[in-house]
Amino acid sequence: MRGLRRWWDDTAGGLPATFWYLWSGLLINRAGAFAMLFLSLYLTAARGASPSLAGLVVGAYGAGGAAGTLLGGVLADRWGRRSTLLAAHLAAAGLMVALAFSRHLAVIAVLAALVGLAHSMPSPAFVAAIVDVVPEARRSRAFNLQFWAFNLGMAVASLLAGVLAEASFLALFLVDAAATLAAAVVIALKVPETLTRRPAVTLRAVAGRRPGLHTALTDRTFLTFVGLTFLLAVLTMQTSTIMPLAMRTDGLRPSAYGLVVALGGALIVVGQLFVPRLIEPYRKSTVLAVSTGLMALGFGALTVADGLPLYLGAAVVWTVGQMLAAPPNAQINADLAPPELRARYQSVFYLTFPAASFVAPALGGLSLQHLGERHWLVVGALGLVAAAGHLLAGPPRERRVAALRAAAQRSETVSAGH
């Protein structure tokens, strides 16, 4: 019992109550966000859309998501985290109800884009609020729990979506809306505003310019990190875009693909809570280099995979890499963001994922077609490039973080003086 309590203290102890309410809202949000997983099936089966038209509507959802990420970051820094989270959740719930009862494809396409906008707005605000309330020494654990909640919620969403889609598409959308509204209620009742207004001297002290969204888009140190994260995201997207095609080429059934994906999800749900204590003694850049190296090894191994056991073994390797990468990746992103631009930096960071979801299938499909199994050597090489990049970029990142901390202390001194 004493060992279990020590493990829990190391994993989640010392985190403020507001974090746990944010965590609960995120878990409810992810567990309920299942309707859009079946949007293409709904369009073709219930609305008579062609596969190409269904693809365009799903693409509209993705485009709305990219815009929503930036909008959410700007609003979270201007309005506040709580206001942005409430507005996004309430808008998403209302739009989902409208989508449930819409019949015309043009209206559905517009609503899908707006739902994408509303679904993506909370991400920067959630992370910025976590950084606001969690002490720096505990942030790695907080981000680890956030990643765990996200994956647990997605696993629940996948199970619920299949059951509800078979019963009723109307129920699929309405239950999604109800879950989103439940998350909004948790935030409204339990999450205070975490944004602290302060003199905007941090960025001026470091970069000598007035802070804004353009600051994140021209911050070379930050953009280098974003680029390396983009490579990691491209690797991660292989599991949902190119790997199913490779497994089909190897004569494996869809159930085999489902087993590989389920194994990865199960490993994260079971093992993610043990990651913080494992990586705590090491520098973040070293952990990220090792994690991306493991992902490179896992995906590179698919070059010789021709049966389910090898795919399952490779999945274990790259999933461990993903698990190790999650906490330091999120923490570095938080460390590089000046306090007054915290959510804006998060929004630029989160753009890597829709970008990777476009690049991975677009270029990966061509690569698999022309290179065959050698495609996985290219993917492995990208992972090794990212690993080397983290080792090289680590020292400049650490110097930048030190400068930001010094500037933040000067900002607090100015605030105290007033």
Side-chain angles (χ1 to χ4, degrees):
M1 182 64 69
R2 185 175 298 174
L4 181 61
R5 178 175 295 180
R6 181 182 177 186
W7 169 79
W8 177 252
D9 288 340
D10 287 341
T11 302
L15 294 172
T18 299
F19 165 79
W20 287 111
Y21 290 123
L22 287 165
W23 183 89
S24 300
L26 176 64
L27 180 61
I28 296 169
N29 179 295
R30 286 297 89 196
F34 42 66
M36 305 312 284
L37 297 174
F38 279 74
L39 181 59
S40 58
L41 179 61
Y42 166 72
L43 291 170
T44 54
R47 294 289 166 253
S50 65
S52 59
L53 182 56
L56 288 175
V57 176
V58 175
Y61 173 80
T69 298
L70 289 176
L71 179 62
V74 173
L75 292 180
D77 280 336
R78 289 184 178 179
W79 285 2
R81 322 315 191 195
R82 183 176 184 271
S83 299
T84 302
L85 288 171
L86 286 175
H89 281 79
L90 293 174
L95 289 166
M96 195 62 69
V97 172
L99 193 58
F101 292 101
S102 297
R103 297 292 180 268
H104 298 289
L105 289 174
V107 175
I108 291 174
V110 173
L111 288 172
L114 293 175
V115 169
L117 185 89
H119 274 177
S120 296
M121 282 176 60
S123 295
F126 264 124
V127 177
I130 288 172
V131 178
D132 291 341
V133 301
V134 175
E136 184 177 346
R138 308 298 296 176
R139 284 177 190 163
S140 178
R141 291 167 171 77
F143 288 132
N144 190 67
L145 288 164
Q146 176 207 7
F147 181 71
W148 183 70
F150 184 91
N151 282 277
L152 179 60
M154 289 299 294
V156 173
S158 299
L159 294 174
L160 289 176
V163 174
L164 288 171
E166 290 185 2
S168 166
F169 281 116
L170 179 63
L172 185 74
F173 289 107
L174 293 182
V175 173
D176 189 315
T180 304
L181 188 60
V185 170
V186 171
I187 293 167
L189 296 179
K190 295 297 185 179
V191 177
E193 179 53 60
T194 65
L195 175 62
T196 302
R197 306 290 178 181
R198 68 183 75 195
V201 301
T202 305
L203 235 292
R204 290 194 181 108
V206 175
R209 64 167 75 97
R210 183 178 180 180
L213 182 60
H214 66 279
T215 308
L217 295 171
T218 55
D219 184 335
R220 293 183 180 179
T221 302
F222 174 68
L223 290 180
T224 298
F225 173 67
V226 169
L228 293 172
T229 303
F230 170 74
L231 292 181
L232 184 146
V234 168
L235 265 65
T236 302
M237 291 293 176
Q238 299 297 312
T239 57
S240 59
T241 57
I242 305 304
M243 191 180 71
L245 302 177
M247 294 184 72
R248 185 177 64 182
T249 301
D250 287 333
L252 297 173
R253 298 173 62 85
S255 59
Y257 169 69
L259 185 60
V260 173
V261 174
L263 174 63
L267 284 173
I268 291 173
V269 170
V270 173
Q272 190 66 45
L273 295 180
F274 297 93
V275 168
R277 192 172 181 182
L278 179 64
I279 66 175
E280 190 171 21
Y282 305 101
R283 296 172 64 176
K284 299 180 186 69
S285 56
T286 302
V287 174
L288 284 174
V290 171
S291 64
T292 48
L294 286 172
M295 293 179 68
L297 177 62
F299 285 110
L302 296 186
T303 306
V304 297
D306 57 2
L308 182 57
L310 286 174
Y311 275 98
L312 290 172
V316 170
V317 176
W318 74 61
T319 301
V320 170
Q322 289 177 306
M323 292 164 63
L324 294 176
N329 213 49
Q331 189 171 3
I332 289 172
N333 185 33
D335 290 343
L336 288 173
E340 62 268 25
L341 298 179
R342 194 164 275 160
R344 287 177 174 91
Y345 268 62
Q346 293 294 334
S347 67
V348 174
F349 172 80
Y350 273 100
L351 283 178
T352 59
F353 301 102
S357 69
F358 170 76
V359 170
L363 297 183
L366 288 174
S367 175
L368 186 67
Q369 179 180 344
H370 294 288
L371 298 178
E373 293 178 343
R374 287 175 294 171
H375 162 77
W376 299 111
L377 292 178
V378 175
V379 175
L382 285 177
L384 293 178
V385 168
H390 278 297
L391 292 176
L392 293 174
R397 279 200 304 254
E398 292 170 1
R399 289 194 294 270
R400 172 63 185 279
V401 170
L404 284 170
R405 286 173 180 163
Q409 290 176 354
R410 289 194 292 272
S411 176
E412 292 173 1
T413 301
V414 171
S415 298
H418 290 290

